[in-house]
Amino acid sequence: MRKPKRSVLLSLCALAALAGCARDSGPAPLLGTLEWDRIAVPAEVSEPIVQILVKEGDHVAADQLLLTLDPRRTQAQVDAAQADVLRLSAALDELRHGARIETIDASRAALVRTQATALNARLARDRAAEIRRKGLNSQSDLDNADAVLRQANADAKAAQANLDELLHGTRPEDLAQGEASLAQAQATLAQLQVTLQRLSVRAPRAGRVDTLPFKLGDRPAAGASVVSLLVGDAPYARVFVPEPVRASLQQGARFNVRVDGVAQAFSATAVRIASEATFTPYYALSGDDASRLAWRAELELDAPAARDLPAGIPCQATLLVGKSVADK
């Protein structure tokens, strides 16, 4: 009775060994997940969301309006910047055109008035000095007359300088300062106009709406992602290449990719292979430990049916030995 049992056990062991050999005859599949390229569209400023025009899962075209942030505050800043540009532009035109003839005539009249005042002050000072020599007034009276004369002369010199400035025109340095101020105001206006446009959040490229993390009325922080888009023609398989396979795997290698829950197998091409190990730095391993290294690789799926697959599904990629992109 024992011999038949022993033969059965030996047969089962032989079958198991053969099955193991059959499994080991081909390359082991590379494990990973399906992924899409993602684009995060940020909020330009922190303003409440006043309009949402898409839903998660919607396909959108490039430059399509997705949602709108409240533009009133930024619009007011744009209006103020536009007024500042107009003010500085008018000031620069005034500098370029020089003084009006009426302003020059008024300056000449002011000079004549101050010169007449200075002449009267000189005559009064001379009379005070003559009277002082006769001893008929005090020294303080003469000092007061001297002070009035000095002030009148200073006023006349200031009026003369003001007239000369008007007659000589605007200095080049003043023009340069005016032009620089206007350019700065125009740059500020352009920046605010860009910010105002981006309050209408648009798709930077065609894709599918993945997530809308905020709801109507929410006020996201400046720079926070308000829309996440999945972009590209199809998802790709992100798999991890073990160390024994890495040396023989090159870009352009062909794979069969099986996705969990999908009966159809997809053809794929290796388009990117990381240059550095993903899990452990290469310099930290030596000898037998080097077999624990893994490199991230991305396999581009060929079938159009892959366009509808979501991200994150586990998948297995089997290398087609001897096949490359040139054999397609």
Side-chain angles (χ1 to χ4, degrees), residues 84-99 170-184 186:
D84 199 34
V85 168
L86 292 176
R87 177 182 63 82
L88 292 173
S89 179
L92 181 59
D93 289 340
E94 182 179 2
L95 290 175
R96 287 170 175 167
H97 295 155
T170 304
R171 297 175 59 185
E173 296 83 355
D174 294 333
L175 286 174
Q177 292 180 16
E179 291 171 351
S181 297
L182 177 59
Q184 181 180 6
Q186 290 172 336

Side-chain angles (χ1 to χ4, degrees), residues 72-83:
R72 291 176 294 175
R73 187 195 311 270
T74 306
Q75 182 64 62
Q77 294 173 346
V78 168
D79 294 340
Q82 287 176 335

Side-chain angles (χ1 to χ4, degrees), residues 106-225:
S107 180
R108 286 192 176 121
L111 175 60
V112 171
R113 183 177 65 252
T114 56
Q115 287 174 339
T117 301
L119 178 59
N120 289 334
R122 178 172 295 279
L123 294 175
R125 189 265 181 195
D126 291 342
R127 286 194 297 268
E130 181 64 26
I131 295 173
R132 177 58 183 161
R133 281 194 297 271
K134 295 178 181 180
L136 300 177
N137 61 356
S138 64
Q139 183 63 37
S140 62
D141 293 335
L142 179 59
D143 293 342
N144 290 335
D146 284 335
V148 171
L149 176 61
R150 288 194 297 270
Q151 182 176 355
N153 287 334
D155 292 342
K157 289 181 179 179
Q160 182 65 58
N162 185 56
L163 177 60
D164 292 342
E165 180 181 4
L166 295 176
L167 292 176
H168 293 159
T170 304
R171 297 175 59 185
E173 296 83 355
D174 294 333
L175 286 174
Q177 292 180 16
E179 291 171 351
S181 297
L182 177 59
Q184 181 180 6
Q186 290 172 336
T188 300
L189 174 60
Q191 180 181 4
L192 289 171
Q193 288 174 334
V194 171
T195 301
L196 181 62
Q197 290 177 350
R198 291 183 179 176
L199 292 179
S200 299
V201 180
R202 298 181 177 273
R205 55 183 291 192
R208 186 169 75 246
V209 179
D210 183 38
T211 57
L212 293 167
F214 296 97
K215 305 301 180 185
L216 193 66
D218 285 347
R219 184 172 184 168
S225 174

Side-chain angles (χ1 to χ4, degrees), residues 149-323:
L149 176 61
R150 288 194 297 270
Q151 182 176 355
N153 287 334
D155 292 342
K157 289 181 179 179
Q160 182 65 58
N162 185 56
L163 177 60
D164 292 342
E165 180 181 4
L166 295 176
L167 292 176
H168 293 159
T170 304
R171 297 175 59 185
E173 296 83 355
D174 294 333
L175 286 174
Q177 292 180 16
E179 291 171 351
S181 297
L182 177 59
Q184 181 180 6
Q186 290 172 336
T188 300
L189 174 60
Q191 180 181 4
L192 289 171
Q193 288 174 334
V194 171
T195 301
L196 181 62
Q197 290 177 350
R198 291 183 179 176
L199 292 179
S200 299
V201 180
R202 298 181 177 273
R205 55 183 291 192
R208 186 169 75 246
V209 179
D210 183 38
T211 57
L212 293 167
F214 296 97
K215 305 301 180 185
L216 193 66
D218 285 347
R219 184 172 184 168
S225 174
V226 293
V227 181
S228 178
L229 297 178
L230 302 180
V231 298
D233 296 331
Y236 55 88
R238 177 179 292 168
V239 298
F240 294 91
V241 182
E243 184 270 339
V245 182
R246 176 64 186 91
S248 60
L249 184 61
Q250 303 295 329
Q251 289 185 355
R254 301 288 293 161
F255 287 83
N256 272 342
V257 177
R258 290 196 171 275
V259 180
D260 287 3
V262 180
Q264 175 188 358
F266 300 95
S267 298
T269 304
V271 292
R272 285 179 291 274
I273 305 174
S275 59
E276 295 184 358
T278 301
F279 295 142
T280 308
Y282 69 91
Y283 50 79
L285 297 176
S286 61
D288 295 338
D289 288 337
S291 62
R292 301 180 185 179
L293 295 173
W295 284 259
R296 188 181 68 247
E298 295 177 1
L299 314 179
E300 186 178 79
L301 303 186
D302 299 337
R307 287 178 55 85
D308 297 326
L309 294 177
I313 301 179
C315 65
Q316 299 179 359
T318 303
L319 177 64
L320 300 178
V321 180
K323 296 289 186 179

